[in-house]
Amino acid sequence: MTGTTTVMDLAWWQLLLALLLVGVTIAISIRQNLGLERDLVVGSLRAMTQLYLVGLILAAVFSAARWYWVILILGVMTAVATQAVVSRLRKPLPGAYGIAAVAMSVSTAATLAYVIGVVVRVHPWYEPQYIVPIAGMILGNSMTSAALAGDRLQGELRARADEVEARLALGFSGREAVHPLVRASLQAAMIPVVNGMMTVGLVQLPGMMTGQILAGSSPMTAIRYQIVVVFMLATATAIGSLLFVRLAARRYLTPAHQLRRYLF
Amino acid sequence: MTILSDVSVTVERAGALTLVGPSGSGKSTLLRCLNRLVEATTGTVRFDGREIRSLDPRDLRRRAALVMQTPVLFEGSVRENLRVRPAGAPGDFSEARLTRTLDEVGLDGGFLDRDAMTLSGGEKQRVTIARALLRDPDALLLDEPTSALDPPNAALVIETISRLRQTRRLSIVAVTHQPELVRHLGGWLLYLVNGRVHAYEPAGGTDAAADPQLRAFLAGQQRADARSPA
């Protein structure tokens, strides 16, 4: 990376100045009777504490640069993403943790391996400066799309259970009978990503690109990374939501091609 | 939770069985146990002498075709709806046969090109019956096939069903609230209350039910039918 400017370090008193912005938000909440004051205070405190702790951990991992620390961090991130996906389901699904864990880890591992090993060619592969933020972006997107797809699948099942049973009654297999619902769920999960590709850079600069530019990279370096990121996130989203929805859809069916109506 | 218990019935080839009873008495569940859309936790169901668990559920459901209360048609033309089938499923779905089958349910060939979503309720229900017939079923399982229809359309569907039973020698199991359908089908009448058989007797006219409670139930349905708007 070629630095074009030096990075300005932020002092604690500057962060406190930024906190005044939350004051404005709280004032709006009080004036408009939104009732969000408490959440805003808690949210601000949590954001500061969580980010501070993450900063400490990352600083330690970056300086140690050991593969096992990196793997541990990736494991924790995957576990948090798994939990987030499961908690977004409106109705609990038996085995949801296992399904979400498979979807999150496979989509992240596959995409990450290609980006780190083949595209960017990071040496050593576990260089935390690259792998941790990239894995974070992949997981975040895979998590959002899997949650969206799972929520949509449950909604589709509730709305279209008769249609599924009609197909079963016509001799379709369970997998064939739910396929249109699976397809609708995947489309719902992927459309935001595809739309994002259409407008990337035009409305707002993506977070990673902003970060790189703020940190002193040239915009041309930043956009190259961003292009990789856009493609990588589309893949992670597709794999993550596909695995989650396909595996979840199987849970709603029995081996005798029956619909488990009590599950949704 | 037990939905059904101590239910034992037999339907002959080309025979008819009508399931009646208050809502929540387990009629639809019993019907769905017959084609295994619902799994009975205990007990056995035999189809053509074979325990249904030993059959491929997909074959069973083609041979014992279910027609639901609210007709489910998919987006597309009537022709596409009639041809809906799993990939590689056998059967003759030629234009000539589609037309012939539509004719059996009282619809002319012109319906093939109609958008399925624009059909009336009665037409939709007859298309779903035709779709079932195209699979050459041995039995029809009917879940309140006429309750979502207005009386003239209901009468047409009832007439179609009882005619098919004769011409195709179909065994029919029907859940219904409509004494009209009971009367047309004949056969046997099973009166379910809270998942148990309250009466099981040959279906005569409405007044001929031997069991007094069943007689009162049917008479009540008859009055409700007469009140419903045409």
Side-chain angles (χ1 to χ4, degrees):
Chain A
M1 269 188 253
T2 51
T4 51
T5 53
T6 49
V7 182
M8 297 190 296
D9 224 347
L10 288 177
W12 280 106
W13 62 268
Q14 288 173 298
L15 295 185
L16 291 177
L17 284 179
L19 196 56
L20 287 179
L21 293 172
V22 179
V24 174
T25 322
I26 290 176
I28 292 173
S29 171
I30 293 172
R31 290 282 303 202
Q32 302 295 324
N33 243 330
L34 305 181
L36 295 173
E37 305 89 71
R38 197 174 165 277
D39 284 351
L40 278 166
V41 172
V42 174
S44 307
L45 290 174
R46 276 192 63 159
M48 284 195 296
T49 318
Q50 284 166 206
L51 289 173
Y52 185 69
L53 290 176
V54 167
L56 286 180
I57 293 169
L58 288 183
V61 172
F62 279 29
S63 64
R66 294 276 192 278
W67 66 268
Y68 43 85
W69 283 119
V70 171
I71 294 288
L72 180 69
I73 284 221
L74 297 186
V76 171
M77 286 160 70
T78 309
V80 174
T82 299
Q83 164 65 35
V85 171
V86 173
S87 69
R88 290 267 289 277
L89 290 174
R90 244 171 278 181
K91 219 171 163 191
L93 172 66
Y97 277 98
I99 293 169
V102 168
M104 290 302 98
S105 43
V106 172
S107 63
T108 305
T111 318
L112 195 59
Y114 188 72
V115 170
I116 292 289
V118 180
V119 181
V120 186
R121 295 169 194 257
V122 180
H123 288 292
W125 62 266
Y126 53 84
E127 181 61 66
Q129 184 196 343
Y130 288 90
I131 200 167
V132 173
I134 291 178
M137 281 190 285
I138 294 175
L139 265 175
N141 277 265
S142 190
M143 168 185 93
T144 307
S145 66
L148 207 58
D151 185 55
R152 179 63 182 261
L153 180 68
Q154 288 191 327
E156 291 277 325
L157 282 165
R158 275 190 294 273
R160 296 168 71 181
D162 280 350
E163 186 190 321
V164 174
E165 282 211 325
R167 277 201 194 82
L168 292 173
L170 286 168
F172 283 80
S173 70
R175 190 180 159 147
E176 291 166 325
V178 296
H179 183 70
L181 288 65
V182 166
R183 196 173 50 206
S185 310
L186 285 176
Q187 280 169 342
M190 292 204 55
I191 282 170
V193 180
V194 178
N195 286 343
M197 288 171 92
M198 303 287 181
T199 58
V200 67
L202 299 181
V203 180
Q204 60 171 10
L205 294 180
M208 162 152 163
M209 196 169 144
T210 311
Q212 275 189 306
I213 292 173
L214 283 176
S217 295
S218 86
M220 292 319 287
T221 305
I223 61 125
R224 284 182 199 194
Y225 270 92
Q226 191 57 47
I227 289 170
V228 173
V229 167
V230 167
F231 296 160
M232 155 185 112
L233 295 185
T235 312
T237 304
I239 301 177
S241 50
L242 176 72
L243 278 175
F244 186 71
V245 168
R246 271 243 177 274
L247 294 173
R250 282 171 45 172
R251 288 262 148 198
Y252 292 105
L253 297 159
T254 69
H257 310 286
Q258 295 149 332
L259 191 58
R260 294 186 157 120
R261 277 183 180 256
Y262 55 91
L263 282 182
F264 50 84
Chain B
M1 189 182 74
T2 308
I3 298 172
L4 287 165
S5 70
D6 275 335
V7 179
S8 182
V9 289
T10 307
V11 187
E12 303 285 324
R13 177 84 214 198
L17 171 69
T18 311
L19 310 176
V20 292
S23 351
S25 56
K27 309 180 295 287
S28 291
T29 305
L30 175 56
L31 195 70
R32 282 169 162 73
C33 284
L34 302 182
N35 72 347
R36 251 187 118 194
L37 275 179
V38 170
E39 195 81 68
T41 43
T42 55
T44 52
V45 180
R46 286 176 195 284
F47 184 76
D48 215 2
R50 287 182 64 185
E51 221 279 300
I52 58 169
R53 284 195 190 93
S54 70
L55 303 169
D56 182 332
R58 291 168 292 183
D59 288 332
L60 171 67
R61 289 170 197 158
R62 284 193 279 264
R63 296 177 62 196
L66 175 70
V67 171
M68 302 204 261
Q69 177 175 7
T70 316
V72 177
L73 291 182
F74 309 109
E75 269 180 44
S77 64
V78 168
R79 178 184 290 103
E80 283 160 350
N81 268 279
L82 293 176
R83 284 188 172 148
V84 163
R85 61 188 188 280
D92 174 7
F93 290 86
S94 67
E95 195 78 2
R97 182 148 182 264
L98 298 191
T99 312
R100 231 172 25 244
T101 312
L102 272 186
D103 186 58
E104 273 187 273
V105 298
L107 296 174
D108 66 68
F111 272 90
L112 283 176
D113 289 313
R114 288 275 300 273
D115 177 353
M117 297 299 131
T118 65
L119 303 182
S120 74
E123 289 163 348
K124 280 184 182 170
Q125 195 59 293
R126 282 185 280 162
V127 170
T128 63
I129 294 172
R131 188 169 64 189
L133 293 178
L134 281 163
R135 275 117 194 116
D136 281 323
D138 302 313
L140 277 187
L141 310 176
L142 308 165
D143 191 1
E144 303 197 32
T146 53
S147 66
L149 307 179
D150 55 28
N153 268 308
L156 277 169
V157 169
I158 289 169
E159 186 273 324
T160 303
I161 293 167
S162 36
R163 184 164 37 76
L164 287 170
R165 187 186 151 208
Q166 310 293 332
T167 55
R168 286 201 171 227
R169 292 188 45 74
L170 285 169
S171 309
I172 291 189
V173 182
V175 171
T176 188
H177 282 294
Q178 294 189 297
E180 195 59 27
L181 183 57
V182 178
R183 208 173 8 254
H184 266 82
L185 283 178
W188 286 74
L189 197 53
L190 183 74
Y191 182 40
L192 281 174
V193 180
N194 292 327
R196 288 177 177 274
V197 178
H198 187 85
Y200 183 38
E201 53 177 75
T206 313
D207 307 321
D211 181 83
Q213 209 182 323
L214 172 55
R215 197 159 59 227
F217 179 80
L218 288 175
Q221 294 300 324
Q222 180 105 350
R223 281 195 299 276
D225 259 19
R227 271 200 308 272
S228 73

